[in-house]
């Protein structure tokens, strides 16, 4: 016997690859914590008392088990944003879509395996507005021994951008839902939890990234803000983008990064200057007449050997309405499309869909103006069910949803032209059904209803390719001629331009119920959401796994 154990140990030492795909265990205690910075002492909901929350580290092929224990008065659920969740929709997290919430005093183990993905993603609460403070980084390293397709950085750092309200965020959205008007904008932006040294509201300075001259660093930038797309700049430095939403890109150099809520961007920063302190800024991008938080969050890149008396080299953030800066950044994004990391763009499509995304106004007798602002996709304002949709699908329960989501706008109109006089929408818990492995082309068309506005749309369960974008109305005859089917960027969240459209393609190779929604939390709350139901394919490998025994009940 002992001889066999010795042989096994020898074999294991000869093939260290055996320890490659591991199981990573995390425990997330959802607790209240006093906010001790940012001009406020109100308690906030956090994971393990941290803001931002803990970083999850894993490698491609690892299984991750996270036990979430709810110690607060709110229902809770957590989403692993961008993780494909192949056949494991039970671990995706959006409340009432793939699971019932974890109720106060209850717990749930999220169990998923990371397949075919490496890079930076984020995790966040997916219920109410809790993700304002319940969020953190998900760092996925390549498999052991597999290098990055770019020079290995000397060090890496996570940079999480956020939005901060002095008031309780649930009070902010509840007040808005009562009045029917837009919620208050945030009071500050944050970089790794701090508004920065230039804020009147900073008790603990700001985030500082120490660097050594000549070395290259990789910043894993995450936009965890609720409602605002952000520009990020570092004074005196260019940044090389190498990855977005956990897919490698063709490297390109830029002085400004544009990042929407739910998006992640890895950049290389070479500390190529002499000793000094250089300001990092995070500021809003909004190019339509919508109120945003105009506070710039700041941080510092500090070279080793810098005297404390050295002044900080500052930079001005782009103007809030800098559409050209945003467009230049977006147009530079291409997937790496190498032999090792090919862009598998579906060349033929089984479904060609056109979804309008925008706002509307429905009657509301108790609201301030007798109406309330709502949001919709193809004129359907999504109504949340009280039973989770994945359960309803898996157990074939009737009456929870219908699968008649319109594939085209019910009424065609000049989406970005003169506004229709009727702003009303329909209610519905309607899903769009897809066969396993079918291919989808989806054009997301902004409408000018109330005001044109950018919408960062996020799809759960899939990555998609962004094959085209344009201003005005999508033209199905002319525009497809300009589609990039060779090396379009692959991601999970894409900004639909204000008064324009974006076209995406994906393959429905993941059975389950997959949420799609605007990642501006205010628009999600107002109803800019729907879901795809993807049927099982052949055999167990193409079917949703059975639900875990501890899946929360409604
Ligand atoms: C996680 O899910 C896998 C199936 O995908 C299952 O084999 C395993 O037992 C689960 N682990 C736990 C701790 O629930
Ligand atoms: C929203 O802003 C208004 C105006 O500043 C203020 O009166 C109100 O208290 C704010 N609401 C919350 C929930 O903070
Ligand atoms: C930010 O917006 C507020 C409210 O609209 C305004 O009073 C203030 O002057 C603005 N600040 C800057 C720096 O633009
Ligand atoms: C951006 O806003 C500034 C100040 O509000 C204005 O002067 C400028 O014309 C705007 N630029 C564009 C491109 O709309
Ligand atoms: C639509 O649904 C909302 C709940 O999400 C409800 O308040 C409203 O009355 C519904 N409107 C209609 C016309 O059914
Ligand atoms: C839509 O409206 C815009 C602005 O009024 C106009 O320029 C455009 O020609 C219209 N498009 C169509 C297809 O009617
Ligand atoms: C949306 O639906 C409402 C309610 O059925 C209808 O009155 C309105 O005309 C529709 N609008 C569009 C643009 O489809
Ligand atoms: C999915 O469809 C593609 C062709 O569109 C085919 O090559 C592939 O084998 C199919 N995959 C599965 C798992 O059926
Ligand atoms: C299912 O997938 C596993 C692992 O990829 C493979 O070993 C097995 O043969 C597959 N089973 C079927 C029925 O395709
Ligand atoms: C929490 O979720 C359960 C199950 O859906 C629901 O019955 C309950 O009303 C929710 N609690 C709150 C405070 O919303
Ligand atoms: Cu939106």
């Amino acid at each position: 016997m002992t001889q066999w154990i010795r042989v096994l140990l020898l074999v294991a030492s000869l093939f260290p690859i055996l320890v490659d795909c591991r199981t990573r265990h995390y425990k997330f205690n959802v607790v209240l914590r006093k906010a001790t910075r940012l001009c406020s002492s109100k308690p906030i909901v956090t994971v393990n008392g941290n803001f931002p929350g803990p970083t999850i580290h894993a490698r491609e092929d690892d299984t991750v088990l996270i036990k979430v224990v709810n110690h607060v008065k709110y229902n809770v659920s957590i989403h692993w944003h961008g993780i494909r969740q192949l056949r494991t929709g039970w671990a995706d997290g959006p409340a009432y879509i793939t699971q019932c919430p974890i109720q106060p005093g209850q717990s749930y183990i999220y169990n998923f395996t990371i397949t075919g993905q490496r890079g930076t993603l984020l995790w966040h609460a997916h219920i109410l507005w809790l993700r304002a403070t319940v969020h953190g980084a998900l760092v996925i390293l390549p498999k052991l021994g597999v290098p990055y397709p770019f020079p290995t950085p000397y060090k890496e750092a996570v940079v999480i951008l956020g939005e901060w309200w002095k008031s309780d965020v649930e009070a902010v959205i509840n007040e808005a839902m009562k009045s029917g008007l837009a919620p208050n904008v945030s009071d500050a932006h944050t970089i790794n939890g701090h508004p920065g040294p230039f804020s009147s509201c900073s008790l603990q300075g700001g985030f500082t990234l120490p660097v050594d001259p000549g070395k290259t660093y990789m910043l894993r930038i995450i936009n965890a803000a609720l409602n605002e797309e952000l520009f990020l700049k570092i004074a005196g430095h260019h940044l090389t983008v190498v990855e977005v939403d956990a897919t490698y890109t063709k490297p390109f150099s830029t002085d400004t990064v544009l990042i929407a809520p739910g998006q992640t961007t890895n950049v290389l920063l070479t500390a190529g200057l002499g000793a000094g302190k250089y300001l990092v800024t995070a500021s809003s991008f909004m190019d339509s007449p919508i109120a945003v938080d105009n506070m710039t969050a700041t941080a510092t890149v500090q070279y080793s050997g810098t005297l404390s008396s050295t002044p900080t080299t500052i930079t001005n953030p782009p103007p809030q309405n800098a559409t050209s800066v945003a467009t230049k950044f977006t147009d530079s994004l291409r997937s790496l499309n190498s032999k090792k990391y090919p862009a598998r763009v579906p060349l033929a499509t089984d479904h060609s869909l056109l979804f309008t995304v925008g706002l509307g106004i429905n009657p509301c007798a108790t609201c301030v103006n007798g109406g309330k602002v709502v949001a919709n996709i193809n004129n359907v304002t999504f109504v949340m069910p009280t039973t989770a949709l994945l359960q309803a699908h898996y157990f074939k329960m009737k009456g929870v949803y219908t699968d008649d989501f319109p594939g085209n706008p019910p009424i065609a109109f000049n989406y970005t032209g003169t506004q229709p006089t009727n702003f009303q929408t329909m209610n519905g818990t309607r899903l769009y059904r897809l066969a396993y492995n079918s291919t989808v082309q989806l054009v997301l068309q902004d409408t000018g209803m109330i005001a044109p506005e950018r919408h960062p749309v996020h799809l759960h369960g899939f990555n998609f390719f962004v094959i085209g974008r344009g201003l005005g109305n999508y033209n199905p005859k002319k525009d497809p001629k300009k589609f990039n089917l060779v090396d379009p960027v692959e991601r999970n969240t894409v900004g639909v331009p204000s008064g324009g459209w974006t076209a995406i393609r994906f393959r429905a190779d993941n059975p389950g119920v997959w949420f799609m929604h605007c990642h501006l939390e205010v628009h999600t709350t107002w109803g800019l959401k729907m879901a795809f139901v993807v049927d099982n394919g052949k055999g167990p490998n193409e079917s949703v796994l059975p639900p875990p025994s501890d899946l929360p009940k409604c």
Side-chain angles (χ1 to χ4, degrees):
M1 277 306 262
T2 47
Q3 211 169 354
W4 276 111
I5 291 171
R6 235 177 273 139
V7 170
L8 281 175
L9 286 174
L10 180 69
V11 170
S13 68
L14 285 176
F15 298 97
I17 200 92
L18 287 179
V19 297
D20 189 348
C21 76
R22 295 179 31 178
T23 301
R24 314 259 172 181
H25 294 262
Y26 284 88
K27 181 140 183 220
F28 276 22
N29 281 310
V30 181
V31 292
L32 274 187
R33 199 199 84 173
K34 226 174 161 189
T36 51
R37 49 180 107 119
L38 301 149
C39 296
S40 165
S41 59
K42 76 182 160 61
I44 55 171
V45 182
T46 65
V47 166
N48 300 346
N50 299 321
F51 172 70
T55 297
I56 289 189
H57 293 273
R59 277 188 194 281
E60 184 179 344
D61 285 350
D62 283 355
T63 292
V64 186
L65 294 172
I66 305 127
K67 182 172 187 181
V68 177
V69 188
N70 182 359
H71 299 281
V72 298
K73 65 175 179 177
Y74 300 108
N75 281 340
V76 165
S77 77
I78 294 188
H79 171 49
W80 318 94
H81 183 117
I83 295 279
R84 293 279 327 264
Q85 299 291 3
L86 295 166
R87 303 159 58 226
T88 54
W90 309 109
D92 192 38
Y96 301 107
I97 306 296
T98 58
Q99 67 165 97
C100 298
I102 307 167
Q103 296 185 36
Q106 310 268 296
S107 69
Y108 177 46
I109 298 176
Y110 289 90
N111 174 358
F112 56 86
T113 299
I114 301 171
T115 308
Q117 294 184 283
R118 73 300 294 170
T120 307
L121 295 170
L122 70 155
W123 57 265
H124 62 75
H126 214 307
I127 186 166
L128 307 168
W129 272 30
L130 295 181
R131 82 174 165 89
T133 52
V134 179
H135 62 245
L138 245 164
V139 171
I140 310 165
L141 298 175
K143 292 182 213 184
L144 257 191
V146 176
Y148 294 127
F150 44 83
T152 304
Y154 173 61
K155 278 184 182 161
E156 303 185 359
V158 165
V159 177
I160 302 182
L161 312 180
E163 266 181 285
W164 179 266
W165 279 259
K166 289 183 196 170
S167 303
D168 181 282
V169 284
E170 299 309 327
V172 171
I173 183 59
N174 288 342
E175 178 185 69
M177 292 311 275
K178 222 179 221 167
S179 68
L181 305 174
N184 289 357
V185 298
S186 52
D187 298 302
H189 292 110
T190 54
I191 300 177
N192 285 345
H194 300 271
F198 287 177
S199 164
S200 59
C201 221
S202 183
L203 300 180
Q204 299 173 3
F207 170 69
T208 297
L209 177 73
V211 298
D212 291 339
K215 301 275 201 250
T216 296
Y217 297 78
M218 182 158 82
L219 308 184
R220 298 175 176 272
I221 307 165
I222 295 169
N223 186 345
L226 281 194
N227 295 324
E228 296 180 2
E229 288 191 62
L230 297 167
F231 286 127
L232 183 120
K233 276 179 85 169
I234 302 180
H237 293 77
H238 279 83
L239 303 167
T240 302
V241 176
V242 291
E243 182 238 294
V244 295
D245 295 6
T247 66
Y248 294 128
T249 63
K250 287 196 174 72
F252 70 94
S253 175
T254 180
D255 59 8
T256 307
V257 168
L258 170 71
I259 187 163
Q263 292 183 330
T264 52
T265 306
N266 282 7
V267 300
L268 301 179
L269 164 72
T270 297
L273 302 180
K277 296 179 201 161
Y278 300 88
L279 196 71
V280 182
T281 61
S283 61
S284 290
F285 168 46
M286 174 54 76
D287 60 355
S288 46
I290 309 280
V292 285
D293 172 358
N294 58 14
M295 301 299 289
T296 299
T298 56
T300 314
V301 169
Q302 180 162 342
Y303 281 63
S304 55
T306 303
L307 301 173
S308 59
S309 57
T310 305
T312 303
T313 304
I314 62 165
T315 182
N316 287 324
Q320 193 178 294
N321 58 0
T323 308
S324 58
V325 175
T327 305
K328 187 170 169 230
F329 181 86
T330 307
D331 286 351
S332 304
L333 289 167
R334 295 274 185 285
S335 63
L336 184 57
N337 192 30
S338 63
K339 209 163 178 187
K340 206 153 178 220
Y341 303 101
R344 295 202 174 86
V345 190
L347 297 179
T349 51
D350 301 315
H351 298 261
S352 188
L353 311 176
L354 176 63
F355 285 5
T356 58
V357 290
L359 305 183
I361 298 175
N362 281 345
C364 168
T366 57
C367 293
V368 171
N369 298 324
K372 62 176 176 193
V373 181
V374 294
N376 69 87
I377 303 179
N378 274 351
N379 205 33
V380 181
T381 293
F382 192 86
V383 176
M384 280 311 235
T386 50
T387 301
L389 297 173
L390 184 57
Q391 271 116 312
H393 166 62
Y394 187 88
F395 293 108
K396 302 188 166 59
M397 296 157 71
K398 296 253 176 291
V400 179
Y401 66 86
T402 56
D403 63 1
D404 60 349
F405 191 88
N408 283 282
I411 300 175
F413 61 102
N414 186 342
Y415 307 115
T416 56
T418 313
Q419 304 189 13
T421 46
N422 177 5
F423 280 11
Q424 231 164 291
T425 68
M426 313 176 243
N427 267 351
T429 307
R430 298 165 70 175
L431 274 54
Y432 192 93
R433 187 174 291 276
L434 296 169
Y436 180 83
N437 203 34
S438 58
T439 50
V440 181
Q441 173 175 302
L442 169 58
V443 176
L444 296 159
Q445 170 75 59
D446 181 35
T447 74
M449 296 265 218
I450 303 184
E453 187 177 356
R454 292 173 62 89
H455 299 281
V457 174
H458 172 48
L459 176 61
H460 291 226
F462 303 94
N463 280 346
F464 48 73
F465 293 95
V466 185
I467 58 172
R469 69 197 291 278
L471 294 179
N473 293 302
Y474 170 69
N475 182 326
K477 287 210 176 67
K478 282 194 197 146
D479 291 323
K481 293 192 182 113
K482 290 177 280 179
F483 284 168
N484 175 3
L485 302 177
V486 178
D487 62 353
V489 68
E490 180 182 345
R491 58 190 327 168
N492 63 57
T493 306
V494 67
V496 177
S498 177
W501 55 271
T502 293
I504 65 174
R505 281 193 187 179
F506 64 96
R507 178 179 295 280
D509 57 359
N510 192 9
V513 175
W514 303 109
F515 206 17
M516 191 179 80
H517 59 95
C518 182
H519 218 275
L520 305 184
E521 203 57 38
V522 56
H523 291 176
T524 309
T525 308
W526 281 341
L528 209 167
K529 49 195 172 190
M530 58 81 69
F532 289 99
V533 50
V534 179
D535 284 322
N536 287 339
K538 292 188 206 90
N541 278 7
E542 298 180 3
S543 301
V544 180
L545 284 166
S549 58
D550 60 343
L551 185 71
K553 292 184 176 56
C554 281

